[in-house]
């Protein structure tokens, strides 16, 4: 397959610019780049999920640019980074949706269909009974395996794997790589997207680097080093994009995390956050950054270790007490986990603080509206009025509402998970301004971000997590994107 001069824009943002890409049978072709480099957009165009604005796509020298349903017609299997599924249906029915087999009487042949998956499931050490369980009951890793099983169950010539091992355990990841090698030996063409360079070195045949929607290079894997790949991914120095924050004088310790451990997820997590400090938390997809933050906050439990706010120990699995003591977590998925989209700005902002203006079963609407309007003015939320539904707001304004929801509480430590993901540059600048105001008022912040430029620009210190362990800490002039990336990939420096 060959892509020539591919360009794609979304709302004026150039996701891809004049990109060429070739894929041959019996080849594993790695596609790498920072978040937002255009990797997922390119493979979505390749598989026919979206069409390019400009450029041509050729399959065995035939122009297939305008083919509808290119993925099915060209026998392409795509394991997406963000898996889509029907949560109430069993895993097996999710696998066969749209390609069910029937007998001559029109009856579905579930036994035969499920039986065809046994060999694939056995490669991952998974029992056939998983096929009968609803997807909502499966773990993240089990859902990822089901998505992989679906891809492998198709008689495809091209396989696209977008961060497939991020949610897998070590054994399952190794088994997947072995399965991919088998596909290669049978003549399949494989596109493999991963932030884990240690996976693709010695595994892939070629590597293409994208940066800011442009193709930087394609090299044979035997001719390039990890460091050279990282340098091509990074490109322009950070100083041209963000001004560095002026490090403030650190106050007393607000949050102390000691030896926090959850078996098979993270281990011995230890750090402190001081008054007026932003601590950055870096790591690649699957490094367990979110799990660590959720355990600290109390939405998931942990096996051992302690969490203290101003020397007061917090019990396991108690978000309500965390909030009461001033520890708040803003989740990565603001739409599903942080906001109630079908309700108003007013209702979202005042939800955690209703007791402040309520009593005897009644709410003081005058006080409530004043609090909400003050928050809107302070954060620059753009909306018609305070009763505008949150699902009518832009991503950046939704994120500001999420901030406003907690700023009127007794906030001491704010943990942010990808706070500027999916919002435009202007909204990012506003979020950065808000963070600066908070630390100037003595708030401690844990900033989790895949945007390394953002981390370096905003953080006083940065800790790096690799496979559930803190392996590096950087401060001051020693912080570079290259160093953080290498540490996040587990490369010793």
């Amino acid at each position: 397959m060959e892509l020539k001069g591919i360009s794609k824009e979304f709302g004026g943002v150039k996701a891809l610019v004049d990109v060429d890409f070739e894929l041959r049978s019996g080849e594993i072709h790695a596609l790498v780049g920072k978040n937002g480099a255009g990797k997922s957009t390119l493979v979505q165009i390749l598989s026919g999920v979206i069409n390019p604005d400009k450029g041509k796509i050729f399959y065995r020298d035939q122009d297939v640019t305008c083919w509808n349903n290119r993925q099915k017609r060209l026998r392409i299997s795509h394991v997406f980074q963000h898996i889509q599924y029907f949560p109430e249906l069993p895993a097996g029915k999710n696998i066969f949706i749209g390609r069910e087999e029937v007998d001559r009487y029109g009856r579905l042949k579930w036994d035969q269909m499920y039986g065809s998956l046994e060999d694939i499931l056995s490669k991952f050490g998974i029992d056939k009974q998983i096929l009968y369980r609803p997807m909502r009951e499966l773990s993240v890793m089990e859902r990822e395996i089901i998505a992989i099983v679906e891809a492998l169950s198709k008689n495809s010539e091209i396989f696209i794997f977008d961060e497939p091992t991020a949610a897998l355990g070590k054994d399952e990841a190794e088994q997947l790589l072995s399965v991919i090698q088998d596909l290669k030996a049978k003549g399949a063409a494989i596109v493999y997207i991963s932030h884990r360079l240690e996976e693709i070195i010695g595994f892939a045949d070629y590597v293409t680097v994208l940066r800011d929607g442009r193709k930087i290079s394609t090299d044979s894997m035997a001719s390039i080093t990890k460091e050279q790949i990282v340098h091509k991914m990074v490109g322009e120095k950070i100083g041209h994009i963000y001004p560095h924050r002026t490090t403030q004088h650190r106050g007393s310790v607000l949050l102390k995390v000691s030896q926090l451990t959850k078996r098979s997820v993270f281990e011995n997590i230890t750090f402190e956050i001081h008054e007026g400090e932003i601590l950055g938390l870096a790591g690649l997809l699957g490094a367990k950054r979110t799990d660590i933050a959720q355990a600290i906050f109390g939405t998931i439990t942990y096996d051992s270790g302690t969490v203290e706010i101003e020397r007061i120990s917090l019990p396991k699995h108690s978000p309500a007490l965390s909030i009461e003591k001033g520890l708040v977590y803003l989740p990565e998925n603001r739409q599903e986990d942080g906001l109630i989209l079908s309700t108003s700005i007013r209702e979202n902002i005042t939800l955690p603080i209703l007791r402040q203006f309520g009593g005897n079963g009644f709410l003081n609407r005058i006080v409530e509206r004043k609090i909400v309007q003050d928050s809107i003015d302070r954060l620059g939320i753009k909306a018609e009025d305070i009763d505008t539904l949150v699902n009518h707001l832009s991503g950046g304004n939704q994120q500001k509402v999420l901030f406003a929801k907690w700023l009127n509480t007794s906030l001491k430590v704010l943990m942010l998970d990808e706070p500027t993901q999916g919002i435009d540059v202007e909204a990012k600048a506003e979020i950065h301004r808000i963070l600066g105001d908070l630390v100037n008022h003595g708030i401690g912040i844990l900033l989790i971000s895949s945007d390394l430029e953002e981390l370096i620009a905003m953080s006083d210190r940065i800790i790096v997590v690799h496979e559930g362990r803190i392996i590096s800490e950087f401060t001051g002039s020693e912080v570079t994107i290259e160093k953080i990336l290498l540490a996040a990939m587990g490369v010793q420096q």
Side-chain angles (χ1 to χ4, degrees), residues 440-458:
N440 288 339
H441 285 85
I443 302 298
I445 293 175
L446 178 67
L447 176 60
I448 303 171
S449 179
S450 299
D451 186 338
L452 299 186
E453 298 169 351
E454 177 176 72
L455 274 184
I456 292 175
M458 297 300 298

Side-chain angles (χ1 to χ4, degrees), residues 294-326:
Q294 289 179 341
I296 293 169
F297 183 55
T299 51
I300 64 174
T301 191
Y302 51 90
D303 298 314
S304 60
T306 59
V307 177
E308 297 178 7
I309 288 286
E310 294 184 318
R311 300 185 179 181
I312 299 173
S313 293
L314 295 178
K316 299 178 184 178
H317 209 40
S318 181
L321 188 57
S322 295
I323 294 169
E324 181 182 322
K325 297 302 181 183

